[in-house]
């Protein structure tokens, strides 16, 4: 989509990472991306915003970190001195089968994400796919899409926050409406 096109048209990988963080909400629902960087490292942290079971959270975060890795590899075939995937929980069954195709995996870290360290000047090299005109167009489309989403984003965010399973499971639509102080019909209409 427009976000992927903007990432490919960015001037540098660092610019692409900044764009990804800015417009993450267009594709990364339920998980927030926070980028932390200094002279020697860059950490693309994933922070869950919805409550899922530990198994689903782990699967979701592991999949997203792997996708981020593949995106960085696409933009920078020669990666910086070091790259690690920080994943939640303990190593899962069968990890040995695909671990050789990935950078070092670090489990049970305090944060989850993609950690780059060492010579990060590679992130500032011009991308061969850079296209300033196409980038402006793609960013304008991302802004438009973002503006359209934000109209109803408050109710969506409120529903996500309220969708926490209790002893009897997830709340019903009627219970959600009650929690949000709305009628079920109004909640359905706002979600549509």
């Amino acid at each position: 989509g427009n976000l992927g096109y903007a990432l490919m048209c960015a001037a540098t990988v660092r610019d692409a990472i900044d764009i990804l963080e800015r417009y993450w909400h267009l594709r990364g629902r339920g998980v927030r991306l926070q980028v932390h960087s200094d002279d020697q490292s860059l950490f693309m942290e994933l922070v869950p915003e919805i409550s899922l079971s530990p198994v689903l959270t782990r699967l979701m975060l592991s999949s997203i970190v792997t996708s981020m890795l593949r995106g960085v590899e696409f933009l920078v075939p020669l990666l910086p001195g070091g790259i690690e995937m920080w994943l939640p929980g303990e190593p899962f069954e069968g990890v040995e089968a695909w671990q050789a195709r990935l950078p070092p995996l670090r489990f049970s870290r305090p944060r989850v994400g993609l950690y780059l360290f060492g010579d990060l000047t590679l992130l500032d090299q011009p991308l061969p796919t850079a296209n300033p005109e196409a980038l402006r167009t793609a960013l304008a489309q991302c802004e438009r899409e973002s503006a359209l989403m934000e109209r109803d984003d408050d109710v969506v965010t409120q529903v996500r926050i309220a969708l926490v399973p209790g002893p009897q499971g997830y709340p019903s639509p009627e219970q959600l409406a009650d929690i949000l102080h709305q009628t079920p019909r109004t909640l359905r209409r706002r979600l549509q």
Side-chain angles (χ1 to χ4, degrees), residues 10-130:
T12 67
V13 174
R14 195 176 300 274
D15 290 342
I17 291 170
D18 290 343
I19 292 167
L20 181 63
E21 182 179 27
R22 181 175 175 191
Y23 295 106
W24 178 264
H25 66 280
L26 297 178
R27 300 293 176 266
R29 295 300 187 137
V31 177
R32 188 174 65 249
L33 173 66
Q34 296 177 332
V35 179
H36 313 278
S37 65
D38 58 36
D39 293 340
Q40 297 297 312
S41 67
L42 184 137
F43 190 75
M44 299 170 68
E45 181 179 7
L46 298 174
V47 180
E49 293 184 311
I50 58 175
S51 178
L52 297 173
S53 72
V55 172
L56 287 177
T57 299
R58 191 171 168 168
L59 177 64
M60 176 181 67
L61 294 175
S62 299
S63 297
I64 295 171
V65 172
T66 304
S67 295
M68 288 176 10
L69 170 70
R70 296 302 179 218
V72 169
E73 288 175 334
F74 175 77
L75 294 173
V76 188
L78 298 173
L79 292 171
I83 187 165
E84 296 176 351
M85 293 174 65
W86 290 16
L87 302 171
E90 296 298 319
F92 30 88
E93 188 178 327
V95 70
E96 301 82 20
W98 47 268
Q99 194 166 10
R101 294 180 279 167
L102 296 170
L105 305 177
R106 305 290 184 228
F107 292 93
S108 300
R109 295 290 177 146
R111 301 186 294 176
V112 174
L114 195 59
Y115 179 57
L116 290 84
F117 56 94
D119 180 15
L120 297 184
T121 58
L122 290 172
L123 301 180
D124 298 314
Q125 300 297 317
L127 285 174
T129 56

Side-chain angles (χ1 to χ4, degrees), residues 160-181:
R160 281 195 181 118
I161 291 169
L163 270 176
V164 177
Q168 278 72 38
Y170 286 97
S172 69
E174 291 76 20
Q175 290 169 323
L176 276 174
D178 188 51
I179 291 168
L180 299 175
H181 308 289

